[in-house]
Structures are given as structure tokens and as C-alpha cells.
Amino acid sequence: MTRSDSGRNGLILLIVLWVMVVLSILGTSYYHLSTIEFLTNRNDLEKLQAELLAESALYLAYTDLNLESAKGSFDLSGDWAGGGKLFEQATLGKGLFQIYTDDVYSEEGGTRFGLRDECSKLNLNTATREMLEKLPRMTSARAAALIDWRDTDSQVTRGGGAEEDYYSDLSPAYSPRNGPLLSLGELLQVKGFNPRVVLGEDANRDGILQPAENDGDKNDPPDNQDGKLDRGLLPYITVYSADRNVNAAGEKRININTADENTLKQRLMSHISEEKIRKIIDQRSKTKFESVVDLLAGAEKSQKASSADSEKDSSKDSSSEAKSSSGSQSDSDKQSDGEDESADEDDKNSDKRAGRKKSGGGGKNKKKQPAADAILTEEEFIKICDEITTVDDENLPGMININTAPREVLMCLPGMNRRIADEILEHRGGDLQSFSSAGELLSLDAMNLDRFSRMYPLLTVRSSIFEARAVGYLSESNAYASVLAVIDRSGTSPKFLYYRVMR
């Protein structure tokens, strides 16, 4: 073999070796890529399975809501509210699922199994500024900014409002909605609202005080390290609450301003006399009923009370606008305490004017002094109030369910004070009794007719829309999914008003 042949063979051998090295690297890379792709696909599959488990829980919730609707369960004793064990950890195939919500009824906080009634919250799209200001962590300035965000005009509300000029100077710039909020997440775009205000310390929305939520400034989220979970605004607000304008049997309520005499007799004569029905017809021919409470208060007195309430609300708004928009939570609490004390004093004065003596403690079914021109007695009103209305709208947005609303939401109602709220909560108490009609609030010791007439248009005892936080979990792989949904059962078929995979 010549030297040139030997050199050529050495070069070929070197090339072959390099080719083998390259092929080996490519083969190893392909193996690793294939493994990664396999693991990724498996993780994606397991994640999908976890989401399907959570979705299965949602459909279980909807089915249960329909069943309970037929039985007439609208209070906290139902399965949907965690009254049973339906939504506790359940096994499905190789996975698990459950549904939980904030335990806003417990002083200790935390979570409980079940759904959350949207009518147990305050609707940001319908609440007045005065009502908004009574929410936890809400200030007069934030309430003003929210009013401006949802109204259609360009006039800035005094005391902290903001319109197009404010939002156009932000980076990035955007415009206010000038209409109803579409979701609670939109609230973070409104002047004065941030995650600390909306979520409080509960950044992961699990309702449990985690170490990072109780360590001061060491880790996000920011917290005051007081050992208590600040839930922020979120558990008490909604944009979905509404109730159907129907009675307990699902029948459309009759409008006492427009229903003919035969209809009134057919629906009401089992509870009131024909003479009372004629009085209703005679009265409406003279003056339109602004509220069904006019049947109890008398049309003339009701109109005067409505005018007085409007002036009082306007005065309160002007007063609150003069306050600092940066008021602390403790300042808000003091303001609420002052309003309650004033409200209790109003009750005492009202009782004296009506010539009634206050019972020393808890006598039930105390009679309220009706107006001189009242058409119905208190007992008659309670019997028929769920059958009648003065509006023809099919749906009534922003209603608050007195069977399910927590104290924080009850206190937002016009005319509400701590004594009335205490009696409502006591009535619901340990045996979970429910109000069968909003008119039953008249029998509370602390209630008077003026307060009742102010809050009644916003009251309901039934709910059709619910929030569900569903969790799906595969124990073998630790795959986990969380889905937040809002379910409307008022129609003939399931309807999701909101659906979002949280993680």
C-alpha cells in the first residue's frame, strides 16, 4: 500500500467516525425529544382529564339545582349550599372532584363544600352609591369611580369619580365601559380598584389563610400579618344576580296596576276579601301604585315617604362626597357604626310616633301600625305579596336573597341596620329556617314600615343563579384543574353565564 492510499483510507475512517458521532448525537437528541413530547402529551392528557373531572362536577351541580328547584329549596339547607355531602370529595374513575366556595357565614372564614348563590351578593351594576359604600373595603371615592365607569354620561361624579379624561392619560390608555360591567375581573380597570382591594390577602382565592398571606412583606401578596384572612371585596359582589318575577309556583306575578278584576279575584280571593280587591281597583284609578307596599302604607303616605327618602339619600351622598377618598377600613367601620346607631334611634322615634311600646326582648309577630288609608293588614300583605307586583319585567336584576345573604350584604340594603340584620340571621339560625316571602320581614321586632318600604323592592327569597368552583384531581399523577363557573337554572336548559379554567 502506497503512502497516498494509506492517507486516503485514514481520511475515510475519520469521516466515518464523524458521521457515526453525528448520527449518535441525532439519535440521542431524537430520543430525548420523543421522550419530552411523550411526557408533554401525557401531561396535557392528564390535565385535560382533570378539567373534564371538574366539568363533570359542574354538570352534577346543575342537575342538583334543577332537582332542588322542583322541591322548592332556596335556603342554606339545600344540597347546593353544602347541606348534604354531594359536593364533598367524590371519586370518578381514577380521579376525584369536588365543589367548594367561600364560607362567608363563619367568623373564622375558610371554605365549605357547595355552591354560592349569586343573590347572596351585591350587584355592582344595579347597586346605588350609598349601597356600594357599605361594602367591606369600599370608600366613597371608589364607589364614585364605579358609578362613572358604568353610567353612560361623561360627567364626573364628585368625590372621586373618573371619566374618559382620566383613563386616556393612563399607560396603556383605555376607555371606561359606560355600561354594565361584564365580569368581576373588569373591576380592576376601574379607578381606585386593585388586587389588594378586590382580593384582599386571598390572592389564590382559596378562602384559606396561607403562610405567604400572613408573613407581612416577605412574600406576595401583601398582608398585615394579623393572623386573619382579609377576603377583600370579591366574596360579596357580583354582576350576575337576578330573580324571576314569579311566585313560588313559578307563575308570573300579577300587576296590581293593570290586572283586570277577574284576574285579581282568581289569584287573590283565597287570601283577601272581594271588598279589598275592589279597594285596590278603586285606589289605582286615582293613583298608580309605585310599590306593592303602598297597599300596606297607603298611597299618600308612601309617596311622601319616597320623597323624604330621596332627600335623605341625596343629603347622605353629599356628605359622603366631602369625605376623603383615601379613608381607611377602620374609618369605614366607624362610619357604619354611626349609621347603625342613628338607625336604631330612628326606630325608637318611629315606635314612639306610632304609639307602640318596644318589647323588652324578642317578642315575635308584633303588629305594625298601618296607615289610616291602608288597604291591607300586615297579615293580608304577607299572604299575597309573593303573588303581586307593580312591574312587568320578566327578570329583576340585583335582588338580594334574605335567606342566603351574609351580614355584610344585608347591611348594604336601604333602611337596614344591625338590629334588623341580627333578627334575619337569627331567624335563619341553627335550624336553617327560611323566609317564604319577603313580606315576612314585617314580623321582625326591629322592622318598621318606613324601613320595610325602602328595602322591599330589592328583596327576594329565591335564587336561580349560582357560582361554582369545581376542582378535578388525578391522584396518581397529581394533575389538577380548577374551573370557575356561573350557572343559571332559570331557563329550560342549562346555561353557563361564565366559564373559566383558573389553573
Side-chain angles (χ1 to χ4, degrees):
M1 178 182 296
T2 63
R3 179 179 295 178
S4 60
D5 291 336
S6 177
R8 188 182 307 110
N9 291 336
L11 179 61
I12 292 173
L13 178 61
L14 182 62
I15 292 173
V16 170
L17 290 174
W18 273 108
V19 169
M20 291 178 65
V21 169
V22 171
L23 290 175
S24 177
I25 293 173
L26 290 175
T28 302
S29 299
Y30 178 76
Y31 170 77
H32 284 297
L33 288 173
S34 299
T35 301
I36 292 172
E37 183 177 1
F38 171 77
L39 293 175
T40 300
N41 289 337
R42 188 176 71 177
N43 288 339
D44 288 343
L45 178 60
E46 291 171 344
K47 174 68 173 177
L48 177 60
Q49 289 176 321
E51 288 181 18
L52 291 174
L53 282 167
E55 188 168 321
S56 298
L58 293 178
Y59 280 99
L60 172 64
Y62 183 82
T63 301
D64 179 65
L65 287 172
N66 271 342
L67 292 174
E68 289 203 334
S69 178
K71 293 187 299 183
S73 178
F74 298 98
D75 56 33
L76 295 173
S77 64
D79 286 341
W80 69 265
K85 296 185 177 181
L86 182 64
F87 298 118
E88 295 184 20
Q89 185 170 290
T91 302
L92 181 61
K94 296 182 179 180
L96 307 170
F97 67 77
Q98 63 184 27
I99 289 182
Y100 72 96
T101 187
D102 296 295
D103 190 359
V104 294
Y105 310 104
S106 168
E107 292 183 2
E108 292 77 23
T111 59
R112 59 179 178 81
F113 295 109
L115 310 178
R116 180 79 188 281
D117 164 25
E118 290 296 288
C119 278
S120 69
K121 308 174 186 179
L122 186 67
N123 194 315
L124 298 181
N125 287 328
T126 61
T128 64
R129 180 175 178 179
E130 181 184 10
M131 295 170 67
L132 290 169
E133 289 177 357
K134 295 178 181 178
L135 282 167
R137 300 196 63 84
M138 185 69 77
T139 64
S140 178
R142 289 177 185 138
L146 180 55
I147 295 294
D148 279 344
W149 179 270
R150 76 187 195 195
D151 67 24
T152 57
D153 62 47
S154 58
Q155 183 177 355
V156 177
T157 300
R158 289 182 299 167
E163 289 285 357
E164 182 73 34
D165 289 347
Y166 171 83
Y167 296 104
S168 63
D169 285 339
L170 300 179
S171 182
Y174 54 92
S175 297
R177 168 70 61 185
N178 289 330
L181 281 75
L182 302 183
S183 71
L184 293 180
E186 187 178 329
L187 188 59
L188 294 173
Q189 295 180 269
V190 181
K191 177 187 176 184
F193 293 89
N194 54 45
R196 184 72 175 88
V197 172
V198 177
L199 301 176
E201 297 167 350
D202 193 19
N204 59 359
R205 299 184 62 179
D206 66 352
I208 300 172
L209 184 64
Q210 303 289 356
E213 297 167 348
N214 192 39
D215 62 1
D217 297 329
K218 293 181 181 179
N219 297 288
D220 284 334
D223 62 77
N224 57 11
Q225 205 173 359
D226 65 349
K228 299 179 181 180
L229 182 64
D230 176 3
R231 298 172 180 270
L233 273 171
L234 197 60
Y236 310 110
I237 57 176
T238 182
V239 296
Y240 302 106
S241 61
D243 189 27
R244 294 188 299 158
N245 198 6
V246 297
N247 64 11
E251 302 169 321
K252 185 177 179 180
R253 294 187 177 115
I254 55 175
N255 190 325
I256 57 174
N257 283 315
T258 58
D260 59 50
E261 184 174 353
N262 287 335
T263 300
L264 289 172
K265 288 180 179 180
Q266 289 172 5
R267 292 284 291 273
L268 304 181
M269 274 192 64
S270 60
H271 301 298
I272 63 175
S273 67
E274 184 174 355
E275 179 186 0
K276 294 295 180 76
I277 292 175
R278 290 200 184 98
K279 284 186 177 182
I280 292 175
I281 295 173
D282 180 61
Q283 181 62 51
R284 77 185 188 187
S285 66
K286 302 173 184 176
T287 307
K288 176 183 177 182
F289 292 108
E290 298 298 326
S291 165
V292 296
V293 183
D294 290 349
L295 295 173
L296 189 63
E300 182 179 354
K301 181 177 178 180
S302 178
Q303 290 170 0
K304 290 180 179 179
S306 177
S307 176
D309 286 341
S310 298
E311 293 176 5
K312 184 187 297 182
D313 291 344
S314 176
S315 176
K316 287 185 177 179
D317 281 344
S318 299
S319 177
S320 61
E321 286 166 2
K323 296 179 181 178
S324 170
S325 62
S326 60
S328 64
Q329 181 64 25
S330 60
D331 290 339
S332 178
D333 289 341
K334 291 177 181 177
Q335 177 185 351
S336 178
D337 290 344
E339 289 174 352
D340 287 333
E341 292 171 1
S342 175
D344 291 343
E345 188 63 29
D346 288 346
D347 279 344
K348 295 177 183 178
N349 293 334
S350 179
D351 291 339
K352 291 177 181 178
R353 287 192 298 269
R356 292 181 281 122
K357 294 182 180 180
K358 298 294 292 182
S359 64
K364 300 300 179 184
N365 298 318
K366 182 180 58 181
K367 304 299 185 292
K368 305 298 183 295
Q369 202 60 259
D373 60 342
I375 296 174
L376 302 181
T377 65
E378 176 187 323
E379 291 82 2
E380 289 171 332
F381 179 84
I382 292 175
K383 288 178 181 178
I384 73 166
C385 66
D386 195 40
E387 300 287 339
I388 58 179
T389 183
T390 56
V391 296
D392 293 321
D393 299 6
E394 292 185 5
N395 290 294
L396 306 173
M399 304 296 280
I400 293 178
N401 189 338
I402 54 176
N403 286 324
T404 59
R407 178 186 297 276
E408 290 84 353
V409 177
L410 289 174
M411 291 302 298
C412 294
L413 284 165
M416 182 62 70
N417 63 26
R418 282 201 303 267
R419 293 168 59 207
I420 299 175
D422 285 343
E423 286 197 66
I424 292 173
L425 296 173
E426 181 182 356
H427 178 90
R428 283 161 31 178
D431 53 358
L432 295 172
Q433 301 177 77
S434 62
F435 292 94
S436 59
S437 77
E440 291 179 6
L441 289 188
L442 278 169
S443 63
L444 300 181
D445 284 350
M447 184 64 72
N448 64 39
L449 200 53
D450 288 340
R451 293 187 179 281
F452 180 75
S453 65
R454 293 177 64 194
M455 66 179 71
Y456 182 82
L458 296 170
L459 302 181
T460 183
V461 294
R462 293 182 288 273
S463 299
S464 302
I465 304 173
F466 300 83
E467 176 194 77
R469 299 185 194 178
V471 170
Y473 178 70
L474 296 176
S475 55
E476 293 182 356
S477 61
N478 293 327
Y480 173 90
S482 175
V483 178
L484 177 64
V486 177
I487 306 172
D488 182 359
R489 71 172 175 188
S490 62
T492 56
S493 60
K495 183 178 181 180
F496 287 91
L497 303 181
Y498 182 83
Y499 185 102
R500 179 184 177 186
V501 178
M502 305 300 290
R503 56 171 292 190

